[in-house]
Structures are given as C-alpha cells and as structure tokens.
Amino acid sequence: MGKRFYVTVDDPGGLIQDLAIFERARRFFDQEAVPATFFVVPRGEGDWQLDRQPDWLAALQGAEADGHDCQLHGLDHKGCEFGPIPDMIVALGGDLEAGRQRYRDQYWHMWRPDAYRDKLQIAIGIFAAAFGRQPLCFRTGALSQEPVLYEVVADLGMKYVSNKVTDPRGWRYIIEQYDDPGDWDPEVPSQPYWLTDRVINLPIISEYAWYLTPEKIAPHLALAVEDMGRVYAEGDVFLLVCHVQCVGAEDGLSQELLRRLFRVARQEHDVTFETVRDLVQGIEEGSLPVLGK
Ligand SMILES: [Zn+2]
C-alpha cells in the first residue's frame, strides 16, 4: 500500500484573515509538491464570514483546483467554543491549574450540546455555501472538546473529526520543555480509529513547526522524525498539524523545518503526500483500515 503523509494547516479564514499569509503558505506547498489540507475557520472578528469574502473564496477554490483540500475548523475559533481545551494547550499560557480555572469560569455556560449543535450547524452552513459541498472532516479551534460533542457531530451527519493528538510532546516543545516532555498519549492511537460508534478520529500526531527560532529547528525536527518512524512502524498514515500563520510567516522557519521533514519522509519512507479528502476516500473504499469499534 505504501506510506502516506498528510499535512493539515489550521486557521486560514476567520482567524488569520490576511490573505497574503495564506498565499505564502500555499506557494510553499506548491513548491514542495505537497498537497495540503487547509482547516478553514468559517467566521471571525469584524463580521467576517467566509461565504461573503470573494477574494478568499477564489483563493481557496483555486487551491482546491490545484490539488489542495479544505475542511472545517471551528466556527469563530474563539476560546473554548466546543468544550474545554486540552491541558497541553492550556499549559502554553503558563500555570495549568490557573488556566483551566480561567477558561472554566469564562466558558462553562457555553458547554452544552444544544450550543454545540447550533454553532456546528452554522459552521457547516457557511462552509457549504462557500464550497458547494459539506465538509468531510471537522476540527475545533484549539482542539476544544468534550465527549458529548461527538454525539452532536454524528447527529449532524459528520463522520470524521481530526481532533485528538497522539504525541503531546510537540506542544511541550513549544514552551521549551525538552527535558521531561512525557510521551505519546496511550489513549490516542497513531492510526485512524473509531472514537465513538459513529465517529472516526484521524489522529493528529503532533505540531512541530509552531513559531520557531533557528535554535528550535533541530530538536523539533528530531521529534518529528522520531514520531514518523514510530507511526510508520504501526501503519501507513502519518498526519501532522501546522498553522498557516507560521508556514506563511516571512521568517521562513516553519517552512525550513517542514522542507527538511518532507525530504526525510521521501528518502526514508518513500511516502506519498495526500489530502484528508484522499484519506477519507481510502477509508470509505476499504483500502485504509480503521482501528477498533
Ligand atoms: Zn486553530
């Protein structure tokens, strides 16, 4: 079957509204001959809404026409809009317990299935108006989530999410916690798996390319290479997350890390780069397995 590599790129649209950043990221993936999957935020600050943004629609549809893919990322990408945020992300803001408490105080009243349903329905509606189709895969902003969200996702006819992380060390590395970063989350397999009886998670292995400095490239790349070897020992699917504001940044550092990682992937694992659309199609056709149920 061969190894496959999936690059998912979060936050273009309602969160990162600067189209020049998206275009820089897109050009990079074009140069690398890597089809990317953009997780697009449908709504954002300043009354921004994807289906009313002709320049963005042209850019995203043009990217899809050239082999890239677009899927759905949250609604407004504000705070904890689909439930609490995972600890590894809360910890980026400093003290973990204080951060948890702050988010809980601010957002607990929004953590209800009917609120999730309303928001997801609006998000799917905007996406469908923009692309003329339903999204295949949903990822929340900051990976906010709780179990009941996945019942809502399934009730609204969505089968795929990409919302749980196999290796949280990528986020520990962001705060330079290199000495005692832990290991993979034993509850999140590295390969696509049934998260509930109706929803499949396409696991995010990690994030390696978040706002780098030149000094960070070597350790973050080493983590990515290690993860890739471990993942491919278990299956054919390796899916990472990166962010458009980093890949499209003018410093080029995220691009440098990804370029080197793509080279290792091609040389050592002979990978094929595919999109989430391809991954879903492979699963639906039965050519890629889904673990557990
Ligand atoms: Zn995001």
Side-chain angles (χ1 to χ4, degrees):
M1 207 70 228
K3 304 302 183 194
R4 295 114 187 271
F5 193 130
Y6 303 87
V7 178
T8 66
V9 188
D10 283 8
D11 296 349
L15 188 65
I16 304 298
Q17 298 179 12
D18 183 346
L19 198 49
I21 293 174
F22 171 78
E23 295 291 3
R24 267 200 299 275
R26 199 219 129 149
R27 273 198 303 278
F28 165 71
F29 292 115
D30 288 343
Q31 284 159 7
E32 293 296 309
V34 168
T37 301
F38 295 101
F39 274 84
V40 180
V41 180
R43 208 167 74 172
E45 294 290 339
D47 208 20
W48 195 98
Q49 193 167 305
L50 179 60
D51 57 336
R52 299 196 297 244
Q53 298 287 332
D55 292 351
W56 267 98
L57 291 174
L60 294 172
Q61 289 162 0
E64 289 210 323
D66 290 339
H68 301 291
D69 182 24
C70 294
Q71 300 297 340
L72 180 62
H73 190 34
L75 172 58
D76 296 301
H77 206 303
K78 269 193 203 140
C80 310
E81 65 180 354
F82 288 99
I85 292 176
D87 282 352
M88 65 183 194
I89 297 180
V90 176
L92 300 181
D95 184 75
L96 180 61
E97 198 42 58
R100 275 195 201 127
Q101 189 61 47
R102 195 173 58 245
Y103 284 127
R104 205 178 300 129
D105 291 347
Q106 194 176 349
Y107 291 103
W108 67 271
H109 64 284
M110 294 164 56
W111 294 343
R112 305 188 321 265
D114 59 318
Y116 301 149
R117 186 168 299 114
D118 290 348
K119 281 186 272 198
L120 184 52
Q121 217 154 19
I122 293 168
I124 292 171
I126 296 170
F127 187 98
F131 290 100
R133 66 166 202 275
Q134 303 283 310
L136 291 170
C137 185
F138 179 53
R139 176 180 293 160
T140 59
L143 308 182
S144 72
Q145 58 187 287
E146 59 169 314
V148 71
L149 172 64
Y150 299 108
E151 300 308 315
V152 172
V153 164
D155 288 346
L156 291 180
M158 291 201 71
K159 182 174 171 187
Y160 293 89
V161 298
S162 180
N163 227 30
K164 285 181 178 287
V165 167
T166 303
D167 188 357
R169 290 180 297 174
W171 281 265
R172 311 249 157 77
Y173 275 37
I174 290 173
I175 49 174
E176 299 182 44
Q177 187 187 327
Y178 296 117
D179 289 340
D180 186 20
D183 204 346
W184 286 13
D185 183 339
E187 289 182 10
V188 182
S190 73
Q191 298 299 300
Y193 67 98
W194 287 98
L195 177 63
T196 71
D197 59 357
R198 293 187 291 166
V199 174
I200 292 170
N201 184 47
L202 309 175
I204 298 166
I205 300 304
S206 207
E207 155 68 284
Y208 312 100
W210 179 263
Y211 290 111
L212 296 167
T213 59
E215 298 72 35
K216 281 182 146 185
I217 288 182
H220 290 237
L221 180 65
L223 180 66
V225 170
E226 179 201 319
D227 275 348
M228 192 166 54
R230 284 170 70 180
V231 169
Y232 285 145
E234 296 188 349
D236 289 340
V237 174
F238 178 84
L239 184 152
L240 61 71
V241 66
C242 57
H243 286 79
V244 73
Q245 56 272 46
C246 301
V247 182
E250 296 194 50
D251 67 19
L253 294 170
S254 293
Q255 292 187 9
E256 173 66 18
L257 182 139
L258 291 171
R259 189 180 296 115
R260 289 166 66 176
L261 183 62
F262 297 158
R263 199 181 306 142
V264 175
R266 285 190 163 109
Q267 286 175 352
E268 294 186 10
H269 301 285
D270 194 25
V271 303
T272 302
F273 290 91
E274 292 189 338
T275 63
V276 165
R277 181 180 50 222
D278 300 322
L279 175 52
V280 166
Q281 193 184 336
I283 290 171
E284 291 293 319
E285 289 172 356
S287 59
L288 284 169
V290 180
L291 304 174
K293 184 149 188 176

